[in-house]
Amino acid sequence: MNRLKDKVALVTGGGSGLGRAQAICMAEEGARVVVTDVNDAGGEQTLAQVQAAGGQARYLHQDVRDEDRWQQVIEDTLSHWGHLDVVVNNAGIGVGGTVEDTSLENWRHLMGINLDAVFLGTKHGIRAMKATGGGSIINLSSIEGLVGDPNLAAYNASKGGVRLLTKSAALHCAKAGYGIRVNSVHPGYIETPMVTKAMAGDNGDLVRAHLESLHPLGRLGQPNEIAWGVVFLASDESGFMTGSELVIDGGYTAQ
């Protein structure tokens, strides 16, 4: 119950899915959690669930593409709780399409949320943490940041970018002596609203069966199975990990 005692953690995209699970699990382990999202109703629901379980949390509205807002959210966190120890760059969207079919508009929209925002969260997280003795930055990539999919050109590019940005930032922090670790997490298909939306409709059962068949374990992952990996990376238990990829994918990329 105390793996993250006295740590302050910021989770973007915390209003649903993986972000909600991460916020709840980190609070269960003693962290004080700042939940951010553009979905205020979802963010408030996450806040209520954390508090109902006895955890400490705050909710702040945040468009992760806005650099000024990043600075405001971090300044607010430091003012309220005095330090920032963990940043989880979790917010993301999925847009399908081949490299031929993807419009430049859709490409730029996806990159803004999936990659530009991770850059901003990493940059400003480092600036806050290096002044208070270090911390852990956790960037949500994907199996699609490790292998290609012909129908996910923009998503592949964004998640591959997150993977290598993470390594660059990890090396920078290590060589500068900041005491900040930076790692990426690579989930397989997890039963979140983004994935269940793809399984809606008349062919939902067929879509689910197909997605499950892609994983040697024969099922979709659950949000908590990713969240506990994030807890590990946020904790001192992972103190010798930086620039690494934590793959939690039911065997997807082992094939």
Side-chain angles (χ1 to χ4, degrees), residues 28-51:
E28 286 179 2
E29 290 295 332
R32 289 165 286 175
V33 184
V34 180
V35 177
T36 79
D37 210 307
V38 291
N39 174 7
D40 293 332
E44 293 290 350
Q45 288 173 7
T46 300
L47 175 62
Q49 289 184 33
V50 170
Q51 292 175 334

Side-chain angles (χ1 to χ4, degrees), residues 110-193:
L110 183 143
M111 290 297 170
I113 297 171
N114 285 13
L115 186 53
D116 294 355
V118 175
F119 156 69
L120 292 173
T122 301
K123 172 183 177 179
H124 291 289
I126 289 170
R127 289 182 172 181
M129 290 177 186
K130 72 180 184 180
T132 57
S136 175
I137 296 174
I138 304 158
N139 295 330
L140 268 290
S141 181
S142 168
I143 51 174
E144 305 299 346
L146 299 171
V147 296
D149 185 311
N151 297 308
L152 292 172
Y155 192 76
N156 273 147
S158 70
K159 294 302 186 178
V162 168
R163 173 177 173 264
L164 284 179
L165 170 63
T166 296
K167 292 181 182 297
S168 176
L171 292 172
H172 165 67
C173 290
K175 292 179 182 298
Y178 290 160
I180 300 170
R181 299 180 295 105
V182 192
N183 294 286
S184 57
V185 179
H186 299 258
Y189 283 88
I190 310 300
E191 205 155 353
T192 63

Side-chain angles (χ1 to χ4, degrees), residues 10 51 74 77 88 138 163 198 200 203:
L10 189 161
Q51 292 175 334
I74 290 177
T77 300
V88 186
I138 304 158
R163 173 177 173 264
N203 295 321

